[in-house]
Amino acid sequence: ISKRPQRRVHGEIPREQKSIRMTTEAPKEQKEMLRSAPRLLQAFTGDMVTQHLSNVPKWALAETGKSIKRTFIFKDFNQAWGFMSRVALYAEKANHHPNWYNVYNKVEVELNTHDADGLTQQDFDLAVKMDKAAQQFGL
């Protein structure tokens, strides 16, 4: 009896490769490992926050004391969106993303480091970058 080669449906995994187990367990394992690892980012103490706030005078400490905030008001929506685009490029490179809200010409920003449950150097670095980006629009 001769065996005819089996027809494969486009995109189907060949039979000889089906024994390779595809799994999505790795991300879960990585998350557990990260949770159990010591925190690399330590939240600033109150004195450290006060000291760093002096370097970004247009920012204010949020009511929780665990984040800093600022509202940027631009000429129009295009400026606000342009500002957000510039900041997004930096934030992606730094792997530190702002909590922000935009309506027309207004961008409300709150910065904190979730992994540290408070403020870290990353937040103040991003605040400085945001201030510089806003200066390009006359703020």
Side-chain angles (χ1 to χ4, degrees), residues 2-88:
S2 87
K3 289 189 175 182
R4 289 183 8 200
Q6 287 199 338
R7 235 167 88 187
R8 254 188 20 189
V9 177
H10 179 70
E12 182 182 22
I13 298 172
R15 187 179 309 195
E16 61 273 6
Q17 290 182 8
K18 284 188 178 181
S19 63
I20 298 172
R21 186 172 171 202
M22 300 289 190
T23 179
T24 57
E25 294 172 14
K28 183 180 176 184
E29 291 170 0
Q30 288 173 348
K31 286 179 186 177
E32 289 173 11
M33 187 174 66
L34 288 173
R35 270 190 230 118
S36 64
R39 285 194 176 159
L40 299 176
L41 297 171
Q42 293 294 319
F44 284 167
T45 63
D47 291 340
M48 293 170 76
V49 169
T50 303
Q51 178 186 351
H52 281 79
L53 267 173
S54 66
N55 297 329
V56 286
K58 294 179 181 179
W59 291 78
L61 189 62
E63 296 77 30
T64 63
K66 293 184 176 187
S67 59
I68 54 175
K69 61 185 182 175
R70 179 176 174 190
T71 299
F72 297 88
I73 300 179
F74 297 91
K75 185 178 104 181
D76 56 24
F77 177 76
N78 285 336
Q79 280 193 358
W81 192 263
F83 164 77
M84 292 176 73
S85 295
R86 288 180 185 177
V87 171

Side-chain angles (χ1 to χ4, degrees), residues 84-99:
M84 292 176 73
S85 295
R86 288 180 185 177
V87 171
L89 292 172
Y90 171 78
E92 189 64 22
K93 271 187 189 175
N95 195 28
H96 191 62
H97 306 91
N99 296 321

